[in-house]
Amino acid sequence: MRPTAASGCFGSFYVPMDEALAFASVDVSGRPFLVFDADFPQERCGGYDCAMTVEFMRALAFNAGITLHLKALYGDNSHHITEALYKAAAHALKAAVKRNDSGKPLSTKGVL
């Protein structure tokens, strides 16, 4: 999904995962940037190093050309926090590229 000149589509989403709550907001803008705010109480989720979450999200944002903000608002279990962050990012991206009745993504590009 490479942004085009007609980009500027936004999406955001909250995901609750048991005791954890995560938020993601995305702008399909062609201007890659990542803001990542999450603490992981446990270093690992099974064999998964939780520090890889920020690395994956950075690679996603910069290779897709999107602005991505992620925040874990709270949580006690690193597995739940990680899963909520990934799901929030996916749902925010889905919302950002959703087409309106005209068949085009929702955008204010060229309107404001």
Side-chain angles (χ1 to χ4, degrees), residues 73-112:
L73 285 85
Y74 47 81
D76 298 321
N77 182 299
S78 292
H79 172 84
H80 297 153
I81 294 167
T82 301
E83 188 173 352
L85 287 166
Y86 275 98
K87 287 181 176 181
H91 282 281
L93 275 167
K94 181 180 177 182
V97 299
K98 183 177 180 181
R99 300 197 178 273
N100 61 22
D101 291 338
S102 71
K104 297 179 181 176
L106 299 173
S107 177
T108 58
K109 189 78 168 184
V111 176
L112 298 177

Side-chain angles (χ1 to χ4, degrees):
M1 168 181 64
R2 240 333 154 195
T4 66
S7 296
C9 305
F10 304 91
S12 59
F13 209 84
Y14 283 92
V15 170
M17 186 65 52
D18 294 343
E19 85 299 338
L21 181 65
F23 173 75
S25 185
V26 65
D27 178 10
V28 181
S29 62
R31 295 180 310 275
F33 198 81
L34 175 68
V35 174
F36 187 90
D37 183 7
D39 293 319
F40 299 101
Q42 299 83 33
E43 186 177 308
R44 302 186 76 76
C45 300
Y48 178 75
D49 181 350
C50 295
M52 294 308 295
T53 305
V54 66
E55 297 304 325
F56 175 86
M57 295 301 181
R58 183 177 294 111
L60 173 66
F62 280 79
N63 285 285
I66 61 175
T67 298
L68 178 61
H69 291 248
L70 291 164
K71 181 169 181 63
L73 285 85
Y74 47 81
D76 298 321
N77 182 299
S78 292
H79 172 84
H80 297 153
I81 294 167
T82 301
E83 188 173 352
L85 287 166
Y86 275 98
K87 287 181 176 181
H91 282 281
L93 275 167
K94 181 180 177 182
V97 299
K98 183 177 180 181
R99 300 197 178 273
N100 61 22
D101 291 338
S102 71
K104 297 179 181 176
L106 299 173
S107 177
T108 58
K109 189 78 168 184
V111 176
L112 298 177

